[in-house]
Amino acid sequence: MNQCTAVALLPPPDHVVALSVPGHRPEAGHVLCELGEGHDGDHAAMLWDEGGRPGRGVWAWWNAERARLAPLPWCSALDTRNEACGLFGGHPAGHSWEVTDPTDEAITQEIAHQHPYLFPG
């Protein structure tokens, strides 16, 4: 399945603004939903892995009305190569190995066509 194409522009958190140099407010940043297209509920994008709290990541969740940050545990599913799903536990739609970013796939195919030596085998 293809990746959801929802994008949100999120303002910097208040604590980042408070720590910034006066007169140089941090810019808003965009996040792209990492779930499969047609998923139920809010959109979600992982912002960072919580290294101090093993097994959790901080995710941005958003819909048309609001956005929020939430620490969530990782999905415990493993693929056939014993690699973990890169999404949060209880996520809708498919696991990360079932979700394809069509833009990334198109770029990879073009690079493979132009530089086949980078993709042996």
Side-chain angles (χ1 to χ4, degrees):
M1 88 182 56
N2 282 337
Q3 183 175 343
C4 178
T5 58
V7 177
L9 190 63
L10 301 178
D14 291 339
H15 69 278
V16 172
V17 173
L19 294 171
S20 65
V21 176
H24 297 281
R25 180 180 171 85
E27 294 182 23
H30 75 278
V31 290
L32 174 63
C33 183
E34 296 182 36
L35 303 174
E37 65 184 352
H39 64 82
D40 293 331
D42 291 348
H43 300 288
M46 199 267 293
L47 299 179
W48 65 83
D49 184 11
E50 281 198 309
R53 296 175 67 187
R56 298 176 74 86
V58 174
W59 290 77
W61 286 68
W62 73 94
N63 58 35
E65 288 82 40
R66 66 183 182 128
R68 64 192 186 284
L69 303 183
L72 299 170
W74 294 107
C75 176
S76 60
L78 301 173
D79 69 5
T80 57
R81 296 173 305 190
N82 208 32
E83 293 186 21
C85 177
L87 299 172
F88 55 90
H91 61 81
H95 294 291
S96 60
W97 58 81
E98 299 170 313
V99 177
T100 302
D101 178 346
T103 303
D104 183 59
E105 287 295 313
I107 292 168
T108 300
Q109 288 178 6
E110 183 62 25
I111 291 172
H113 176 72
Q114 291 182 15
H115 307 283
Y117 59 89
L118 295 174
F119 300 85

